[in-house]
Structure formats: structure tokens, C-alpha cells
Amino acid sequence: MNGDEQLLNGRVYGAEHDDPNPGPLPHRTYAALVGGPLDGLLLDIHGWRTEEVDDGVALSTELTRWPGGRALYDPHPGEPRTPGPGVTCRFYYSGDTP
């Protein structure tokens, strides 16, 4: 794991780089991002409906093939989800889009 990967691991997507506590909050719900440019980050999905989680996400990042593009992450169909706060599911990298 290189230095950039260590900085991302366990951080919440969208947290400021200089945030003294960029990690998850105990009362929130998160999806772990797996693979791709945002591997190791957590995405706050607190309050999302099941349909929203099923749709996956396109997350803005400078780390895609197209700077300023979006990294696409989707859940695997049928993968179990844990109810309640904490990390409840995983979103897997599926590609980039401008």
C-alpha cells in the first residue's frame, strides 16, 4: 500500500483532506468502496432508500481516467447488507465516466 492509499483507507468520501477526524461517525451508515481510484474510502449512505443503494453511484474525483470525471461504484446483486449504523455494504468499482 503506497502513501496515497494509506491516506484514503478508512476515510469518508467527501471529507476535507485536512479534517482532523475524517473517519466514520458511529451513528451513520456507510458503504465501503472496493477497487478503483477510491478503494478504501467509505461512502456515507445514511438515510438512503434501498432503491438508491441498489442504483450505485458516480462519484466525482480527480483520480479517474478523465480528471474531474466520475468513478462508478455499484453493489453486487444479492450481496447481503447489515442493517443499522456502521459499514453495512460494499460498492465495487465498475469504471469511469467523463
Side-chain angles (χ1 to χ4, degrees), residues 2 8 10 22 29 31 36 38 40 42 44 49 64 79 89:
N2 69 30
L8 293 177
T29 304
L38 303 176
L42 300 175
D44 188 336
R49 295 185 326 269
T64 68
E79 186 170 285
C89 64

Side-chain angles (χ1 to χ4, degrees), residues 16-96:
E16 295 296 326
H17 70 280
D18 58 352
D19 187 336
N21 185 16
L25 298 173
H27 62 281
R28 305 290 294 185
T29 304
Y30 299 93
L33 301 177
V34 179
L38 303 176
D39 186 46
L41 286 177
L42 300 175
L43 178 65
D44 188 336
I45 59 170
H46 191 80
W48 288 25
R49 295 185 326 269
T50 300
E51 299 80 23
E52 293 173 307
V53 173
D54 290 343
D55 287 343
V57 293
L59 301 172
S60 296
T61 179
E62 295 295 321
L63 303 174
T64 68
R65 199 172 340 160
W66 297 279
R70 295 179 181 271
L72 305 174
Y73 285 85
D74 299 294
H76 283 176
E79 186 170 285
R81 295 182 186 147
T82 307
V87 177
T88 63
C89 64
R90 292 180 281 193
F91 285 180
Y92 298 88
Y93 176 70
S94 61
D96 297 330

